[in-house]
């Protein structure tokens, strides 16, 4: 209308097709009121040309074109036509209301649908073909079984993995190496469980597609005899486990020397069992985990101990003033022998004086100032017990005398102490021993074969319990009688077995006292309240009839259930220890020890070049039973008390060549 410019529209197609494209439209004429509809025909190819100003409209091609129509154009923003649904303006041709994205052409929709259909067919076909098979990409202990049927997968696993299960498993524990026999350790493959672990066919399409390009390791499922596995791992302890070396101060003659703290290590047995269960059938060396055991002391504490205590302590002698003008002297050598340092978690390095060593050094010098006493004893030399009466004495109370010795050692002057004297009553009086009703020895045992340093501790513990009386109904405890087993009570550092491993500690060797006393009580018919054998058999002890102690955790206890008291008598020599129990004999006791059964072979452990190593030929473990047979001397009644003991094998230790 008016001066509006026109747009020339040429529609390709036959003239007869045009009227049917728009019902009610006439050829060559626009639809009244909606001229834009004549410029759009969904059934024909359109060519819309906007001529430049003043240019003539080209004539229609009678062969291919319909007559050219002139359609008024509309300025932007004023487009005529039907209103948008729910809006204020007209709807745009070929677009969604409100200016939304145009719909995809039908061809694209058809292509997309075809692709989806093909993928669906592929998915269904793949799912059907792989039904009952192990999921793709799965491997077990390095053996590919993905895509195989269950039976075929199990056969392949048996062919590849089963030969490994009969071979020793190489293991490393820190820098040491060893081998573990799967059969002895109770390890076997659960073939069905292993394949079940691989899972069923995944339904997720993405997972199925990625399985063509990925691999998934599931490992074997193991059936385990946990007791056998724990026993096999315990065999590694004597070589693998090391206790922390605490910081300390040693003396070379009278020169203080620092001992730096060093962490220890222990096989993490629960974690090692899990690792071995997962990896033993892989055919590779299995690294077993360790737990580091930190020392409680530091290098700084060692330095402080040397500067503040050790060095001034041996700077000169200490004078001990006795009665009657008698004086004794502690030389720097005496002090160096008696002074030691104990690691304490809260206080660091605590200095201690071995009172026994100091007493031994001072007693000969002060003996003339004392009147010795003695305990009442029994003399059986004539066959019948004869009481040797007790006698009170007077002498140096060394515990009171040495109370301030550490303070004196760290001061420059004066370096002297005064001896404290006291009356010394007999520990076993004539009256006490007469009331015991003792008629003779009711139990006796002897052991030997100990080292020199262990012998000192054995002697000290034997001295402590010598002469002790266990009253009727009373329970004797070796730990209670001899603790604390530290330097101040006369004990020295010696060999110990800590958690199944050899080591060193103050008081080492007291287990020999435990074994000797246990056997004396065994044959005396005392009630066994508590005792524990060593983890590894020690050849100088009777198998299945021995005991160990560890202060604070492992004790030897027995009870006197008789009507009369029992006296403990000990005799120590540099090579033997004898324990006798005196009392009234009620039982005739014998021991029936069975043969060694269920032998277990030792593992071989190789210690690296730069680590301390003691070659050991090893020995098998075994199980043994012992029966204590007690015949009541009054009634003739016989009682049997069986006990079964299992000893771990001692591993073969090989030192790696340099």
């Amino acid at each position: 209308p008016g001066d509006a410019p026109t747009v020339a529209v040429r529609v390709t197609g036959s003239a007869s097709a045009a009227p049917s494209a728009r019902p009610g439209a006439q050829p060559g004429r626009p639809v009244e009121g909606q001229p834009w509809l004549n410029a759009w025909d969904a059934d024909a190819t359109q060519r819309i040309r906007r001529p430049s100003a003043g240019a003539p409209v080209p004539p229609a091609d009678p062969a291919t074109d319909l007559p050219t129509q002139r359609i008024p154009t509309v300025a932007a923003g004023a487009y005529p036509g039907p209103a948008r649904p729910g809006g204020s303006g007209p709807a745009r041709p070929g677009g969604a209301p409100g200016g939304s994205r145009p719909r995809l052409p039908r061809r694209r929709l058809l292509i997309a649908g075809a692709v989806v259909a093909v993928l669906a067919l592929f998915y269904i076909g793949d799912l059907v073909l792989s039904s009952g098979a192990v999921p793709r990409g799965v491997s077990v202990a390095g053996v590919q079984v993905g895509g195989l049927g269950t039976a075929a997968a199990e056969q392949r696993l048996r062919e590849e993995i089963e030969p490994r299960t009969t071979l020793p498993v190489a293991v490393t524990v820190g820098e040491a190496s060893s081998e573990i026999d799967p059969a002895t350790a109770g390890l076997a493959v659960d073939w069905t469980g292993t394949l079940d672990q691989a899972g069923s066919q995944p339904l997720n399409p993405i997972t199925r597609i990625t399985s063509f390009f990925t691999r998934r390791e599931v490992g074997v499922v193991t059936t385990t005899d946990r007791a056998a596995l724990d026993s096999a791992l315990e065999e590694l302890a004597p070589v693998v486990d090391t206790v922390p070396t605490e910081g300390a101060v040693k003396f070379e003659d009278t020169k203080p020397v620092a001992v730096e703290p060093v962490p220890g290590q222990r096989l993490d047995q629960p974690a090692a069992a899990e690792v071995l269960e997962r990896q033993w059938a892989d055919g590779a060396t299995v690294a077993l985990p360790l737990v580091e055991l930190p020392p409680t002391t530091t290098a700084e504490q060692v330095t402080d101990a040397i500067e503040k205590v050790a060095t001034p302590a041996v700077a000169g002698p200490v004078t001990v003033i006795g009665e009657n003008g008698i004086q004794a002297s502690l030389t720097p050598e005496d002090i160096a022998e008696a002074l030691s340092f104990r690691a304490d978690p809260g206080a660091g390095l605590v200095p201690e004086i071995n009172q026994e060593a100091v007493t031994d050094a001072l007693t000969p010098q002060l003996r003339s100032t004392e009147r010795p006493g003695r305990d009442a004893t029994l003399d059986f030399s004539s066959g019948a017990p004869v009481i040797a009466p007790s006698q009170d004495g007077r002498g140096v109370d060394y515990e009171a005398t040495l109370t301030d010795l550490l303070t004196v050692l760290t001061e420059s002057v004066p370096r002297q102490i005064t001896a404290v004297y006291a009356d010394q009553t007999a520990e076993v009086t004539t009256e006490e021993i007469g009331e015991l009703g003792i008629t003779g020895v009711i139990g006796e045992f002897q052991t030997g074969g100990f080292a020199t340093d262990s012998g000192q501790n054995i002697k000290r513990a034997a001295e402590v319990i010598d002469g002790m009386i266990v009253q009727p109904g009373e329970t004797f405890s070796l730990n209670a009688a001899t603790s604390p087993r530290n330097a101040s009570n006369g004990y020295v550092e010696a060999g110990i077995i800590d958690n199944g491993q050899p080591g060193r500690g103050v008081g080492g060797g007291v287990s020999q006292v435990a074994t000797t006393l246990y056997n004396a009580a065994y044959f005396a018919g005392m009630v066994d309240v508590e005792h524990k054998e060593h983890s590894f058999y020690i050849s100088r002890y009777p198998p299945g009839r021995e005991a160990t102690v560890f202060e604070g955790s492992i004790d030897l206890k027995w009870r006197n259930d008789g009507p009369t008291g029992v006296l403990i008598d000990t005799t120590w020599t540099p090579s033997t220890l004898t324990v006798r129990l005196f009392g009234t004999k009620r039982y005739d006791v014998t021991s029936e020890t069975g043969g060694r059964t269920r032998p277990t072979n030792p593992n071989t452990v190789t210690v690296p070049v730069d680590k301390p190593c003691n070659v050991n030929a090893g020995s098998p473990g075994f199980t043994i039973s012992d029966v204590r047979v007690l015949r009541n001397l009054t009634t003739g009644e016989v009682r049997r008390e069986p006990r079964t003991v299992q000893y771990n094998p001692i591993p073969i230790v090989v030192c790696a060549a340099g």
Side-chain angles (χ1 to χ4, degrees), residues 67-346:
T68 299
Q69 306 292 328
R70 292 188 178 273
I71 300 175
T73 60
V74 182
Y79 203 98
R84 297 180 181 140
S88 59
R92 293 174 184 159
S100 62
R101 181 176 295 178
R103 291 174 295 176
L104 289 172
R106 181 175 300 174
R107 177 178 296 177
R108 293 186 182 180
L109 293 175
L110 290 174
I111 293 173
V115 171
V116 171
V118 171
L119 291 176
L121 289 173
F122 176 80
Y123 170 80
I124 295 171
D126 181 56
L127 192 61
V128 170
L129 291 174
S130 61
S131 176
V134 178
R136 269 189 303 272
V138 170
S139 62
V140 177
V143 179
Q144 298 291 337
V145 293
L148 296 178
T150 303
E154 180 174 338
Q155 181 179 355
R156 176 173 292 183
L157 289 180
R158 286 182 178 274
E159 291 173 352
E160 295 288 339
I161 296 177
E162 199 163 29
R164 305 176 192 168
T165 64
T166 62
L167 300 175
V169 181
V171 298
T172 59
V173 192
E175 296 180 345
S177 60
S178 184
E179 291 182 339
I180 292 179
D181 177 29
T184 303
L187 298 171
V189 177
D190 179 355
W191 302 105
T192 302
T194 298
L195 291 174
D196 289 344
Q197 182 177 246
S200 57
Q201 288 292 327
L203 298 179
N204 188 319
I206 296 177
T207 303
R208 298 193 67 83
I209 292 172
T210 57
S211 68
F212 283 98
F213 314 104
T214 58
R215 292 291 178 264
R216 178 164 60 97
E217 172 66 38
V218 297
V220 299
V221 175
T222 299
T223 60
T224 307
D225 180 343
R226 194 54 186 261
L229 180 57
D230 288 343
S231 178
L233 291 173
E234 285 174 3
E235 293 182 36
L236 301 175
V239 177
V240 172
D241 293 0
T242 57
V243 296
T245 300
E246 294 293 351
V249 179
K250 302 291 186 182
F251 286 93
E252 294 179 357
D253 293 328
T254 58
K255 178 183 178 182
V257 177
V259 177
E260 299 296 336
V262 178
Q265 65 182 24
R266 173 176 54 81
L267 177 67
D268 188 344
Q269 189 161 320
E274 294 178 4
V275 170
L276 202 56
E277 285 176 324
R278 290 196 309 267
Q279 301 179 15
W280 72 279
D282 291 355
T285 300
V286 180
L288 302 181
L290 289 168
V291 175
E292 184 177 282
L293 306 176
T296 61
T297 51
T298 65
E300 292 75 14
Q301 291 170 338
V302 174
T303 301
D304 285 347
I306 290 177
E307 294 177 352
K308 297 177 181 179
V309 180
T311 299
V314 293
V318 174
T319 301
V320 180
I321 302 173
E323 292 182 342
N324 304 322
I326 302 299
Q327 294 185 356
S329 176
L330 283 175
T331 66
E333 289 77 12
D334 295 330
I335 297 169
E337 182 181 352
L339 180 60
S340 63
F341 293 82
R342 172 175 52 85
D344 184 274

Side-chain angles (χ1 to χ4, degrees), residues 537-558:
Y537 174 60
I538 300 174
S539 59
R540 65 176 177 270
Y541 300 149
R545 215 178 66 227
E546 44 91 12
T548 184
V549 288
F550 194 85
E551 193 169 352
S553 59
I554 303 174
D555 200 358
L556 167 66
K557 294 180 180 179
W558 50 267

Side-chain angles (χ1 to χ4, degrees), residues 426-441:
E427 293 183 5
V428 181
T429 67
T430 305
E431 293 75 16
E432 288 175 333
I433 203 168
E435 294 172 355
L436 292 178
I438 292 175
T439 60
V441 176

